[in-house]
Amino acid sequence: MKTILIVDDDAQIRLALSVRLKAAGYEVLVAKDGQEGLKLARINWPDLVLLDINLPLIDIWMPLGVGYSVARRLNGMGRECMPIIFITASRKSNLRQAAQEVGAAGFFEKPYDAEELLTAIAKILKSAGSRKPGADAPAGISMKALQIRS
């Protein structure tokens, strides 16, 4: 069973994602902030991370969001690839580009279509075995294709 780590400071989002992912057959880990997310990732090494961009501060302020700092740390753990899908309610224009720069496998804006997110997760997990850390998004999946507009 594939494991997905949800890192989001909104309890309702964590719960909704968790219920939906468990119903789809995934094992789910949840974290309310970046510190907890990093700890769970180190211990469990999930197959994929759903990461909110606007998390509470860890130890430094990130102008675009703490989620990017968490992503850099996840990428720097030095193990096999851990795909990251960013989820955000922010409408800042440069967030998608910043997500690409840290190697994100996907980017969704809240509110998002749950079925489209599940489809993207399945595609990313299917191709993740052939990805190497720092590689571009899996074949057939582009950052633009994963954008959900409200």
Side-chain angles (χ1 to χ4, degrees), residues 19-143:
V19 167
R20 184 68 83 153
L21 292 168
K22 286 178 182 178
Y26 297 107
E27 182 177 337
V28 177
L29 305 168
V30 294
K32 67 183 177 306
D33 58 37
Q35 289 284 40
E36 187 178 0
L38 289 167
K39 180 179 178 182
L40 286 172
R42 277 188 214 99
I43 294 168
N44 300 286
W45 203 256
D47 297 291
L48 184 135
V49 178
L50 294 175
L51 181 59
D52 185 19
I53 291 173
N54 294 315
L55 295 169
L57 293 177
I58 293 180
D59 55 5
I60 59 171
W61 179 76
M62 297 291 294
L64 294 177
V66 171
Y68 294 112
S69 176
V70 173
R72 285 186 182 98
R73 292 174 190 205
L74 289 169
N75 290 335
M77 287 183 178
R79 295 172 71 182
E80 64 186 58
C81 182
M82 185 186 307
I84 298 168
I85 296 176
F86 280 106
I87 300 177
T88 185
S90 177
R91 298 293 188 248
K92 292 181 184 175
S93 62
N94 50 353
L95 295 180
R96 184 175 313 284
Q97 178 182 348
Q100 289 173 321
E101 290 172 4
V102 296
F107 187 95
F108 280 77
E109 292 177 345
K110 297 174 188 174
Y112 52 86
D113 180 284
E115 290 304 317
E116 289 185 44
L117 178 61
L118 285 173
T119 299
I121 289 169
K123 286 179 182 179
I124 291 166
L125 288 173
K126 183 177 179 182
S127 63
S130 63
R131 285 186 70 200
K132 294 188 176 16
D136 292 331
I141 302 174
S142 70
M143 293 291 287

